């Protein structure tokens, strides 16, 4: 027991120092980030070795624990929150979201219940409403705040599973999938791995899908889609994509979704990052028709730059969402418009993960979100133009959004050179793009998505890639 605890304070002196120390260390980290190397300076063995000791018998005061964590993490953290991080597709944990996240932890609310934490519920409802509005999705849709894009896809697929099987007279929540009628599943050849994981989790099987041909940008081909649909003998689940991971391209929603409607199917859209273009009036035509789908998965920890553990599933018809997710049992009456958070996510108890997104949306406003997404798309085009002006570099995609697929040398013969160039760029430590594969080639993939990225960051990336190529050509292995 902590003997220093008094009625006047809920914190002992060491606990207070721990909280202040963490807040200060958090601020110091972000202030120093521009001066830090782009990647960790110690490897896994050394970094992990600092922590992987046997648990001591005696414990340690709270402030010393925080000091130890800060000290031993040093050099082992990746500067993912810096605007020079172009890897994968990752948001950069906006500081106002980080600050709000500290409150989330301190408040210790179980946000699964609206009755027990009305303030957290209010903020999370606002996030759901605002995101639905920003993305021009149907108002009145059901929404759930989940851990990220993968789980958002899973929840969307499970809502679809409920609806499509109920239409065939099958109660999947009660009776499971053994003996259930078939649901044909269609998905594009260049879909992300996450919807396949979603199909696995939902018991629909990742391998029994019908994979539909795509074009050179990874978009589903309407003719191939029509043929695949014609071969289905029950209302299908169709998974479309807003934002291909390598090209940033969008499936032709306006052409495809009406075909699914004719067959009473369900359209789920994996829009983890790309759906955010729907918030920008001058770009939204690129995903025309996307709002006609039945469900959408979108990340908040990607383009909105929320700290990690933030995704959202949106389902046009709230009833199948609640039927598939509610922990209160599958036989709930469709609640009278009452929004109970645990009804639309897999968890019963959870942190109030919507609050950091509330803070970021409040900070940016509609105009701020639009400016950020539009700026990132512009910067991606700027990078593509800069690097492709260099002989020996090709950009393999049209820039549809924020992703640039960069290859060096001639065709697959250039693969080795591309990988050398990527390694050199990463080792120099000024910027950090990562690897991908596209059109049968190794690529350097640049994702422009950090909230603070500007022209100088984009140009630094282009220069680093061009310089690395020249160096690799002058210094063969
Ligand atoms: C990142 C991503 C996902 C998975 O989202 P997580 O938040 O990493 O779980 C799914 N689909 C696409 C297109 C993505 O870019």
């Amino acid at each position: 027991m902590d003997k220093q605890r008094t009625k006047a304070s809920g914190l002992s002196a060491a606990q207070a120092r721990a909280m202040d120390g963490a807040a200060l260390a958090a601020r110091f980290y972000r202030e120093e980030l521009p001066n830090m190397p782009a990647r960790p300076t110690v490897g896994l063995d050394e970094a992990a070795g600092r922590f992987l000791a046997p648990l001591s018998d005696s414990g340690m005061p709270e402030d010393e624990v925080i000091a130890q964590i800060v000290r031993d993490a040093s050099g082992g953290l990746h500067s993912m929150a810096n605007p020079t991080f172009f890897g994968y597709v990752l948001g950069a944990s906006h500081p106002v979201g980080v600050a709000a996240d500290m409150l989330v932890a301190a408040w210790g609310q179980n946000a699964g219940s609206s009755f027990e934490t009305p303030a957290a519920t209010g903020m999370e409802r606002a996030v759901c409403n605002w995101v639905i509005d920003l993305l021009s999705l149907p108002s009145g849709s059901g929404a759930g705040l989940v851990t990220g894009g993968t789980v958002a896809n899973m929840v969307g697929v499970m809502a679809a599973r409920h609806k499509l099987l109920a239409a065939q007279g099958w109660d999947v929540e009660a009776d499971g999938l053994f003996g259930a009628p078939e649901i044909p599943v269609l998905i594009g050849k260049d879909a992300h791995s996450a919807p396949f994981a979603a199909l696995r989790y939902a018991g629909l099987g990742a391998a029994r899908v019908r994979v539909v041909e795509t074009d050179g940008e990874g978009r589903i081909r309407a003719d191939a889609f029509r043929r695949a649909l014609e071969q289905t003998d029950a209302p299908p689940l169709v998974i479309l994509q807003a934002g291909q991971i390598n090209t940033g391209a969008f499936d032709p929603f306006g052409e495809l979704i009406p075909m699914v409607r004719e067959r009473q199917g369900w359209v789920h859209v994996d829009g983890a990052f790309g759906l955010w273009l729907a918030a920008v009036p001058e770009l939204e035509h690129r995903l025309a028709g996307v709002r006609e789908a039945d469900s959408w998965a979108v990340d908040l920890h990607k383009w909105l730059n929320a700290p990690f553990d933030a995704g959202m599933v949106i389902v046009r018809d709230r009833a199948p969402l609640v039927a598939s997710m509610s922990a209160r049992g599958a036989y709930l009456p469709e609640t009278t418009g009452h929004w109970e958070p645990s009804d639309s996510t897999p968890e019963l108890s959870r942190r109030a993960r919507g609050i950091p997104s509330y803070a970021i949306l409040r900070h940016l406003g509609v105009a701020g979100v639009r400016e950020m997404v539009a700026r990132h798309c512009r910067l991606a085009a700027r990078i593509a133009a800069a690097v492709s002006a260099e002989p020996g570099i090709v950009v393999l995609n049209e820039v549809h959004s924020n992703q640039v697929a960069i290859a060096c040398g001639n065709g697959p013969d250039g693969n080795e050179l591309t990988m050398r160039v990527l390694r050199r760029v990463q080792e120099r430590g000024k910027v950090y793009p990562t690897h991908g594969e596209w059109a049968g080639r190794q690529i350097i993939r640049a994702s422009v998505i950090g909230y603070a990225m500007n022209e100088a960051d984009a140009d630094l990336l282009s220069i680093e890639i061009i310089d690395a190529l020249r160096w690799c050509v002058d210094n063969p292995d």
Side-chain angles (χ1 to χ4, degrees):
M1 282 300 283
D2 192 330
K3 299 202 180 59
Q4 293 176 53
R5 189 162 184 268
T6 66
K7 274 203 171 135
S9 170
L11 293 177
S12 71
Q15 288 166 347
R17 283 196 301 272
M19 291 184 75
D20 288 349
L24 264 180
R27 181 177 143 192
F28 181 74
Y29 177 80
R30 296 302 288 263
E31 283 174 347
E32 283 305 305
L33 205 45
N35 309 315
M36 291 187 200
R39 58 180 197 149
T41 51
V42 298
L44 178 60
D45 285 348
E46 185 182 341
R50 298 172 186 167
F51 300 101
L52 289 170
L55 183 60
S56 70
D57 204 36
S58 55
M60 198 189 258
E62 293 92 335
D63 53 342
E64 285 179 34
V65 172
I66 296 302
Q68 183 249 316
I69 289 175
V70 171
R71 188 177 63 242
D72 287 350
S74 158
L77 298 173
H78 203 131
S79 301
M80 292 174 174
N82 232 5
T84 50
F85 185 90
F86 292 90
Y88 310 99
V89 190
L90 300 186
S93 297
H94 194 291
V96 74
V98 172
D101 219 358
M102 295 179 186
L103 293 176
V104 171
W107 286 341
Q109 303 293 289
N110 178 355
S113 159
S114 64
F115 299 108
E116 304 296 351
T117 176
T121 300
M123 283 184 263
E124 293 202 334
R125 281 195 69 167
V127 168
C128 292
N129 293 343
W130 290 346
V131 171
I132 287 169
D133 278 0
L134 272 169
L135 302 179
S136 302
L137 298 178
S139 59
S141 293
L145 292 167
V146 293
T147 50
T150 304
V151 174
N153 277 295
M154 180 193 82
V155 175
V157 164
M158 288 173 120
R161 184 185 74 166
H162 169 90
K163 183 68 179 279
L164 292 171
L165 287 176
Q168 297 196 61
W170 189 266
D171 181 347
V172 67
E173 282 75 29
D175 299 326
L177 282 169
F178 296 110
E182 295 259 327
I183 304 175
V185 179
L186 272 63
I187 189 167
K189 184 169 150 283
D190 293 304
H192 194 271
S193 60
F196 288 95
L199 291 166
R200 287 209 308 276
Y201 304 153
L204 298 182
R208 63 176 279 286
V209 296
R210 298 158 204 232
V211 174
V212 184
E213 278 305 307
T214 48
D215 68 10
E217 299 291 318
R219 296 171 294 215
I220 287 179
R221 296 172 55 109
D223 51 346
F225 186 75
R226 182 179 295 284
R227 281 196 301 278
L229 259 189
E230 278 164 2
Q231 286 160 22
T232 61
D233 39 22
L237 164 59
V238 172
I239 299 179
L240 304 182
Q241 180 165 255
Q244 207 282 336
I245 191 90
N246 294 303
T247 65
F250 303 93
D251 281 331
F253 304 108
E255 277 180 274
L256 305 185
I257 295 178
M259 295 189 216
V260 185
R261 284 280 161 272
E262 281 170 25
R263 292 177 171 261
Q264 285 78 50
W266 180 293
V267 178
H268 171 77
V269 175
D270 175 13
F273 65 96
L275 200 57
W276 284 97
L277 264 76
V280 185
E282 65 269 28
L283 300 177
E284 62 166 2
H285 65 274
R286 296 183 188 173
L287 2 53
V290 73
R291 73 190 51 139
E292 302 307 320
D294 299 285
S295 58
W296 303 263
V298 67
D299 260 317
L300 305 171
H301 60 211
K302 284 182 180 167
W303 225 326
L304 189 61
N305 282 256
F308 286 103
D309 187 353
M312 190 165 160
V313 59
I314 300 155
V315 183
R316 173 187 295 274
D317 176 4
R318 187 164 172 273
L321 172 65
V322 173
S324 58
M325 284 300 124
S326 177
R328 292 187 283 169
Y331 298 100
L332 271 187
E334 165 47 2
T335 43
T336 54
H338 172 69
W339 194 86
E340 193 55 18
S342 66
D343 284 346
S344 37
T345 68
E347 307 101 332
L348 190 53
S349 303
R350 65 169 175 83
R351 67 204 306 276
R353 66 166 64 96
I355 291 178
S357 296
Y358 174 87
I360 294 168
L361 287 165
R362 278 293 294 214
H363 165 64
L364 292 176
V366 173
V369 172
R370 289 177 174 163
E371 183 280 327
M372 177 172 69
V373 174
R375 165 164 42 94
H376 291 152
C377 294
R378 219 169 44 239
L379 293 178
R382 182 182 176 101
I383 292 165
V387 296
S388 58
E390 174 73 10
I393 297 184
V394 285
V395 170
L396 298 180
N397 65 317
E398 292 169 31
V399 178
H400 304 271
S401 49
N402 64 326
Q403 302 291 101
V404 191
I406 301 161
C408 301
N410 262 329
D413 289 347
N415 281 348
E416 216 171 296
L417 179 59
T418 302
M419 293 308 292
R420 277 188 73 213
V421 171
L422 175 61
R423 274 196 302 274
R424 170 113 184 133
V425 169
Q426 290 180 344
E427 278 161 14
R428 280 172 53 80
K430 294 194 172 180
V431 292
Y432 197 88
T434 51
H435 164 253
E437 282 173 31
W438 184 244
R441 295 174 69 170
Q442 306 296 318
I443 58 167
I444 299 169
R445 196 173 64 203
S447 179
V448 186
I449 195 160
Y451 65 93
M453 284 178 176
N454 62 23
E455 273 75 12
D457 303 307
D459 292 348
L460 181 62
L461 175 73
S462 304
I463 290 165
E464 282 292 301
I465 292 173
I466 291 167
D467 282 357
L469 172 73
R470 290 179 185 171
W471 187 89
C472 288
V473 169
D474 290 346
N475 297 273
D477 262 339

